[in-house]
Amino acid sequence: MDNIAHIKILYTSDVHGNALPVLYGTNEVADLGLAKYATAVNQTRATNEHVIAIDNGDLIQGTPLMTHYVKEHTDRENPMVGIMNRIGIDAGVIGNHEFNFGKKILTDAIEQSSYPWLSANIVDKETKEPYFGPPYIIKKFPNGIKAAIVGVTTHYIPNWESPNHIKGLEFADAFTTLKKWVRKIRDTEKPDILIASYHGGLERDLETGEPTEVLTGENQGYQMCKEIEGIDVLLTGHQHRKLVSKINDVLVIQPGNNAINYGEVQLSLERKDNKWTVMNKEGQLHSLENIHSDDEVLRYMEDIEKSTQTWLDQPIGYIDGDMTIKSPFEARIQKHPFIQFIQEVQMAATSVDISVTSLLNNESKGFSSIVTMRDIVSNYMYPNTLVVLELTGKDIKEALEKTAAYFTHNAEGEITVNPTYIEPKPQHYNYDMWEGIDYTINVAKPVGSRIEQVSYKGSHLEDKKTYHVVLNNYRATGGGNYDMFKNKPAVKEIQKDAVELIREYFERQKTVKAFVKNNFVVKAN
């Protein structure tokens, strides 16, 4: 038996429903998707007998394909799971977006999987046992090498997700849970390699250790590397970053999102005294550029892709005027007809007159004169539902101050985006625009005291008076660190998702006029 061995770990994270090499908003061909990744895995396995393949979460949500699947085709196998079954991955990890379509879609996906979903810290509220799958698995190779793979998920999910989607679940602290299981696995299984797959990211600068975000516990990867003994490799995700580094001799890696890149870790081991020891570990990210799509995957996807494309091309309604977005920055700094439209949809669905929304993505193009389902799902890519909260005037002012932190100004006094909303993870969706109140953001003032002249129906907003406000479910639970919304009374919940609400709005109106109510000002003086 050879005394030197090499193990390759291939992994994806934050694939977000990207099965095929296509951008659904434009139908352009793109170098991304699991069909291409399948080829890369097959090519690696053809020349390496020691391969571990893992998915690190946020697999089943994120494209029109998956929205269409959930609306029309849940009687058949989840296509993302079907592809991973064909690739033959060893394990998956649950991501926060796995819950977006409700618990049944997730449990069905897990039941359809020919691989386990590792779930060490998502436990049954009553029994405290892992709810969806085992905490870890062991993979043994013919040369006797024993690899342990343990999976944990960011425990911050209750801050974002609809309560009915996570009913009966408890999200234990990911760091504490991982520390417990690493110790237990090392003591009982005595593996040669221990891989931690964490659907979460890095909360500190990799070089200096300085915090790069408010330390809420959403991301604990740095702490895991520093304070948990026994991890060889930490696979990360959630933040959509691209990185390869070492922290405290733990190789840490993150491959971005949308299956544009995948991660590869190569471990070199040496056998001495009948024991294998990791001698070297290297990581790299690979692009899927110039890799052809796997024929078996393409055949498998043919029917549902055809159905998706037909659905996307359906004309839903018409726009009278201009609702296209030419500059996402301009659409945030002054009222845009598309933002006005979303506010109108939310207010119509809930019968309230104060509404909050965001421009969710810098790739959003708004609506041209003919609106198709493709346009709707390209602009509103999250399956958000709506919640009406009872908020005090003080709550609203605090939320406005929070959103005003999105802006800063340069030496010339020009308004720009605060870099913390761009790095390490773009968070443009955490800048909110309000409807039904009038307000001014003065970027020249310090963060926390930028809001001027807040009024409702011509009168000053009263701190102790309560108001009914419609928000999406992510924001209503405090998502984006809007803590002032946490645990506030929910007056009403609309269980239809935003895509369905927009479609219904067009069905009623047929033609929607583009207009704005100029109720807010952003200035720097």
Side-chain angles (χ1 to χ4, degrees):
M1 182 186 293
D2 292 338
N3 290 328
I4 300 294
H6 302 285
I7 304 284
K8 280 200 174 180
I9 306 165
L10 303 180
Y11 97 108
T12 48
S13 190
D14 301 270
V15 171
H16 285 293
N18 283 278
L20 298 170
V22 62
L23 299 173
Y24 284 100
T26 59
N27 251 3
E28 294 174 357
V29 175
D31 288 314
L32 52 76
L34 291 187
K36 283 176 171 279
Y37 176 65
T39 299
V41 175
N42 290 336
Q43 290 174 345
T44 302
R45 284 181 177 144
T47 55
N48 298 268
E49 59 177 334
H50 302 131
V51 177
I52 299 170
I54 300 170
D55 180 72
N56 190 49
D58 280 4
L59 176 68
I60 65 173
Q61 174 277 335
T63 55
L65 167 76
M66 291 309 298
T67 300
H68 182 56
Y69 165 77
V70 169
K71 290 183 179 299
E72 302 290 343
H73 294 292
T74 52
D75 58 328
R76 62 186 289 175
E77 181 181 63
N78 189 303
M80 303 306 290
V81 165
I83 297 175
M84 286 303 194
N85 287 343
R86 283 157 176 77
I87 291 173
I89 67 172
D90 294 287
V93 172
I94 294 169
N96 54 294
H97 284 286
E98 254 70 71
F99 294 94
N100 286 172
F101 294 125
K103 197 159 67 171
K104 187 179 187 307
I105 295 295
L106 173 55
T107 53
D108 285 352
I110 292 171
E111 287 172 7
Q112 294 158 8
S113 301
S114 58
Y115 56 90
W117 291 61
L118 307 180
S119 179
N121 70 313
I122 305 176
V123 301
D124 186 292
K125 238 175 195 173
E126 301 300 323
T127 67
K128 308 302 181 185
E129 293 296 318
Y131 188 93
F132 292 103
Y136 71 95
I137 60 167
I138 299 292
K139 179 163 183 171
K140 296 179 181 177
F141 293 96
N143 57 7
I145 292 176
K146 191 176 179 182
I149 306 160
V150 56
V152 290
T153 302
T154 176
H155 59 258
Y156 214 60
I157 289 171
N159 291 286
W160 309 310
E161 194 52 73
S162 296
N164 59 310
H165 289 180
I166 55 175
K167 191 175 180 180
L169 301 179
E170 183 177 311
F171 296 83
D173 185 278
F175 168 80
T176 305
T177 304
L178 183 60
K179 187 173 184 177
K180 177 187 78 173
W181 280 105
V182 167
R183 186 185 303 118
K184 187 171 183 176
I185 293 165
R186 284 291 186 189
D187 290 344
T188 61
E189 302 283 2
K190 303 194 183 306
D192 303 299
I193 305 163
L194 195 146
I195 303 156
S197 191
Y198 169 46
H199 190 83
L202 287 302
E203 73 279 25
R204 294 180 180 271
D205 183 274
L206 303 187
E207 301 297 326
T208 67
E210 290 296 312
T212 53
E213 61 186 35
V214 178
L215 298 179
T216 60
E218 177 181 349
N219 300 297
Q220 300 171 296
Y222 189 92
Q223 184 186 15
M224 289 171 176
C225 293
K226 281 289 191 181
E227 298 181 26
I228 301 178
E229 291 298 323
I231 300 173
D232 292 302
V233 177
L234 181 67
L235 308 178
T236 68
H238 183 55
Q239 294 172 312
H240 297 184
R241 297 169 68 183
K242 290 184 283 187
L243 62 89
V244 179
S245 189
K246 282 184 182 175
I247 303 171
N248 195 26
D249 199 39
V250 178
L251 181 72
V252 60
I253 183 169
Q254 191 171 146
N257 62 306
N258 296 350
I260 296 170
N261 300 282
Y262 66 95
E264 177 185 299
V265 175
Q266 180 160 309
L267 303 175
S268 299
L269 295 88
E270 185 176 9
R271 188 163 65 98
K272 290 181 180 177
D273 301 325
N274 214 30
K275 177 177 171 54
W276 289 99
T277 303
V278 176
M279 304 301 293
N280 190 47
K281 38 195 171 186
E282 301 292 337
Q284 54 187 318
L285 304 181
H286 295 290
S287 165
L288 289 169
E289 192 174 356
N290 299 322
I291 294 179
H292 68 85
S293 295
D294 180 81
D295 290 335
E296 182 186 359
V297 172
L298 293 179
R299 284 193 297 271
Y300 169 71
M301 291 296 297
E302 191 172 344
D303 287 347
I304 194 168
E305 174 65 8
K306 184 178 179 181
S307 177
T308 301
Q309 291 292 347
T310 300
W311 175 68
L312 286 172
D313 286 333
Q314 293 175 3
I316 299 300
Y318 304 90
I319 301 297
D320 176 9
D322 187 4
M323 213 178 275
T324 58
I325 297 172
K326 299 171 180 64
S327 164
F329 180 76
E330 290 298 324
R332 293 186 178 100
I333 208 165
Q334 59 188 22
K335 194 69 165 290
H336 189 279
F338 176 76
I339 297 299
Q340 184 73 54
F341 168 77
I342 298 297
Q343 305 281 32
E344 297 295 324
V345 170
Q346 293 189 169
M347 293 187 296
T350 56
S351 301
V352 300
D353 60 4
I354 303 179
S355 176
V356 183
T357 195
S358 306
L359 180 60
L360 297 177
N361 193 308
N362 276 3
E363 304 307 312
S364 293
K365 302 299 182 188
F367 293 152
S368 55
S369 57
I370 301 174
V371 181
T372 63
M373 283 304 299
R374 189 184 307 279
D375 298 317
I376 294 174
V377 296
S378 295
N379 283 281
Y380 212 114
M381 64 292 302
Y382 300 116
N384 290 333
T385 55
L386 298 180
V387 180
V388 177
L389 294 184
E390 185 175 273
L391 301 175
T392 64
K394 183 173 182 290
D395 295 328
I396 293 172
K397 290 173 185 176
E398 286 179 6
L400 288 168
E401 289 291 359
K402 167 69 179 169
T403 206
Y406 176 78
F407 296 111
T408 187
H409 56 87
N410 59 24
E412 289 74 38
E414 298 168 327
I415 300 170
T416 60
V417 178
N418 186 333
T420 61
Y421 284 79
I422 301 172
E423 297 290 343
K425 176 186 177 179
Q427 298 181 61
H428 301 289
Y429 51 81
N430 280 331
Y431 168 68
D432 285 341
M433 289 163 279
W434 288 66
E435 180 68 30
I437 59 173
D438 293 276
Y439 61 97
T440 298
I441 297 175
N442 189 343
V443 183
K445 292 187 174 181
V447 170
S449 58
R450 289 178 164 180
I451 300 301
E452 301 175 346
Q453 303 167 355
V454 189
S455 62
Y456 171 67
K457 293 184 176 179
S459 300
H460 289 298
L461 211 65
E462 298 178 34
D463 282 358
K464 294 183 179 180
K465 188 176 178 180
T466 58
Y467 305 83
H468 289 177
V469 179
V470 57
L471 318 85
N472 68 49
N473 63 287
Y474 170 79
R475 187 69 81 239
T477 53
N481 299 322
Y482 281 80
D483 294 342
M484 69 292 298
F485 297 147
K486 286 183 179 179
N487 303 315
K488 292 298 158 68
V491 179
K492 186 185 296 186
E493 294 187 34
I494 307 296
Q495 292 305 323
K496 293 178 182 178
D497 68 40
V499 168
E500 185 67 14
L501 293 173
I502 294 169
R503 184 189 66 78
E504 289 180 354
Y505 191 86
F506 273 114
E507 281 188 353
R508 293 192 303 270
Q509 304 288 335
K510 303 300 182 188
T511 299
V512 174
K513 187 172 181 61
F515 76 100
V516 295
K517 297 176 185 174
N518 290 307
N519 66 304
F520 69 85
V521 174
V522 181
K523 64 179 185 178
N525 55 51

